[in-house]
Amino acid sequence: MLRLPARFAAVILCFAPLFRQHTWQHAQVLLIGAILVPGQRTVTRILRISGLCRERRFVNYHRVLNRAAWSGRVAARVLLGLLLDAFVPHGPVLLGLDDTIERRRGKRISAKGIYRDPVRSSRSHFVKASGLRWLSLMLLVPISWAGRVWALPFLTTLAPSERYCREHGRRHKKLTDWGRQLVLQARRWMPGRSLVLVADSSFAALELLASLVQHGVTCVTRLRLDAALYTPAPPRQPKTLGRPRTKGERLPTLAKVLADQTTAWQRVVVPDWYGEGERVVEICSDTAVWRHSGMPVVPIRWVLLRDPGRRFDPQALLCTDLAQEPLQIVRWFAQRWQLEVTFREVRDHLGVETQRQWSDKAIARTTPCLLGLFSIVTLLATRLSCHANLQVSAAAWYRKQRPTFADTLAAVRQQLWREQGFLTSRHASKPAKLRPALRDGIVHALCYAA
């Protein structure tokens, strides 16, 4: 079994109470092996890199995912507690919510569906993808050694297709319903903290916003330029018949505000604009009531922004906190892009879309675990002494000033391999050697890397 460095034990052993004793031994091998193994994240490749290629009871490691009794939701709560203690011990908590498509094919993957591929599609080109749709809630925090904000996943759920729900006799839930459940679950885990949720236009739904506002969650999303905005309802006069009014006079749409020559614009500097550094934009803002027939009424602060250099199209944002500063709303929403970066990183470096489980329970567990592994690697990197081992992998043709997630993963792997015996002992007469089984696993991983 792979040896665990003492500096990493405080993080990894926090998950031990979630499992039975024998199950935890197998789960620990899968966790450490998933960090070390390159390429595909299958159970068999993890066993090879761990020196267990001759393990006859290899099925026990598969059972951790497809049969063992443990709760992924409880694991998400433990992970969230570790992230808050390490990065956001006090103050408001910024959350990001987004969905992604895991491309999977096969008759035995019953929860898959046909969705729009957001990566390959554009405004003029529509691409469909067959796979699983995952909805992930992430913690947006600044990482000191990276010099920017990272999105750390901690709670991920599978949103099955409508066909799957119909065949299994279940009610199909919309993506906004799944998002409301995830955010309210995080609200119960953090009862005394101020929560700010950042999401894209898919979650700009009045029912979702009204529900989250009732539970004290501030929402920041995109807003349509043709949204129906109104002034607040006037005070109700005594002895007035009928139901109370929910809105006042109709306001001009944001498209008209954008085209109006008399609109007063303010130039502001937005730091770290989508990873490009500072960006000068022009904004205007006001408060209104967003209402649609048959839907709840949500008071919002809208922010309309445009680029003086015309490098991007004008867009509108909304915030359910009317007292919030417009510049802060823009800064919050610009950090939403880190969710897309995390989805790309877990595909490139943690093997998402390479797992080969077929059972429903294993499928529902594997991808959330790999997304959570991104956060666990970040937590383990905080245990490295002064981040001295976080070296930047740069070259003459690729200049990089600060470490990325690839460098962070390499530093954590280096510390794990050192614990297995890559460094000689202090006494020259007693060198430490690798176990033959572990050495064979490493040689196999190098020779079959492609």
Side-chain angles (χ1 to χ4, degrees), residues 2-17 24 28 31-36 78-79 82 145 373-390 407-420:
L2 294 173
R3 291 189 291 268
L4 184 63
R7 64 181 62 188
F8 292 166
V11 174
I12 295 179
L13 294 181
C14 291
F15 299 94
W24 168 244
Q28 187 175 353
L31 174 59
I32 302 176
I35 298 176
L36 296 176
V78 174
L79 179 58
L82 294 172
W145 65 84
L373 191 63
F374 183 94
S375 302
I376 292 177
V377 170
T378 307
L379 282 171
L380 297 180
T382 61
R383 298 282 174 169
L384 299 177
S385 57
C386 300
H387 313 300
N389 297 326
L390 283 174
D407 303 314
T408 304
L409 180 61
V412 173
R413 283 174 172 172
Q414 183 181 19
Q415 190 63 35
L416 288 171
W417 283 128
R418 285 181 174 181
E419 190 68 20
Q420 314 312 317

Side-chain angles (χ1 to χ4, degrees), residues 198-321:
V198 182
D200 60 7
S201 57
S202 300
F203 302 94
L206 286 171
E207 292 180 338
L208 174 63
L209 297 178
S211 177
L212 296 182
V213 168
Q214 290 179 357
H215 293 82
V217 180
T218 301
C219 302
V220 178
T221 66
R222 290 186 185 271
L223 180 63
R224 293 172 58 97
L225 294 177
D226 59 351
L229 303 179
Y230 301 85
T231 59
R236 184 178 175 86
Q237 299 298 326
K239 299 181 181 181
T240 302
L241 301 180
R243 294 182 299 177
R245 295 185 60 178
T246 59
K247 59 183 177 64
E249 299 296 329
R250 177 70 183 265
L251 295 174
T253 63
L254 298 184
K256 294 182 179 179
V257 175
L258 180 65
D260 191 355
Q261 299 296 330
T262 62
T263 302
W265 296 91
Q266 176 186 3
R267 287 204 172 191
V268 296
V269 178
V270 182
D272 195 17
W273 175 268
Y274 292 93
E276 298 180 0
E278 295 183 348
R279 173 69 70 88
V280 178
V281 297
E282 295 179 342
I283 64 173
C284 65
S285 177
D286 202 350
T287 59
V289 171
W290 186 20
R291 184 188 180 277
H292 189 73
S293 178
M295 297 293 179
V297 179
V298 179
I300 63 170
R301 169 171 288 279
W302 57 264
V303 179
L304 191 61
L305 64 147
R306 66 181 185 182
D307 184 13
R310 301 182 182 275
R311 286 169 289 183
F312 64 87
D313 296 333
Q315 54 185 301
L317 309 177
L318 71 86
C319 179
T320 56
D321 184 3

Side-chain angles (χ1 to χ4, degrees), residues 36-146:
L36 296 176
V37 67
Q40 295 183 346
R41 290 317 194 272
T42 59
V43 175
T44 52
R45 288 181 63 90
I46 290 176
L47 293 180
R48 283 186 180 274
I49 199 69
S50 303
L52 299 174
C53 59
R54 301 186 184 276
E55 175 61 51
R56 294 182 178 271
R57 299 179 179 179
F58 59 89
V59 69
N60 292 333
Y61 294 89
H62 288 275
R63 288 173 178 168
V64 174
L65 298 172
N66 59 29
R67 186 175 299 182
W70 56 276
S71 174
R73 184 168 55 180
V74 178
R77 184 174 187 176
V78 174
L79 179 58
L80 176 60
L82 294 172
L83 294 175
L84 292 177
D85 293 340
F87 300 108
V88 198
H90 50 79
V93 179
L94 184 61
L95 302 176
L97 181 67
D98 201 2
D99 65 304
T100 185
I101 306 299
E102 177 190 352
R103 300 166 186 84
R104 293 291 296 273
R105 294 180 179 270
K107 295 181 180 180
R108 300 185 64 176
I109 304 177
S110 56
K112 70 178 183 298
I114 305 297
Y115 307 100
R116 176 184 178 272
D117 192 336
V119 177
R120 301 175 182 176
S121 300
S122 63
R123 293 184 178 180
S124 59
H125 186 60
F126 184 84
V127 179
K128 294 182 180 179
S130 173
L132 304 170
R133 183 170 61 177
W134 298 93
L135 186 60
S136 183
L137 188 62
M138 307 186 190
L139 189 66
L140 293 169
V141 294
I143 304 299
S144 58
W145 65 84

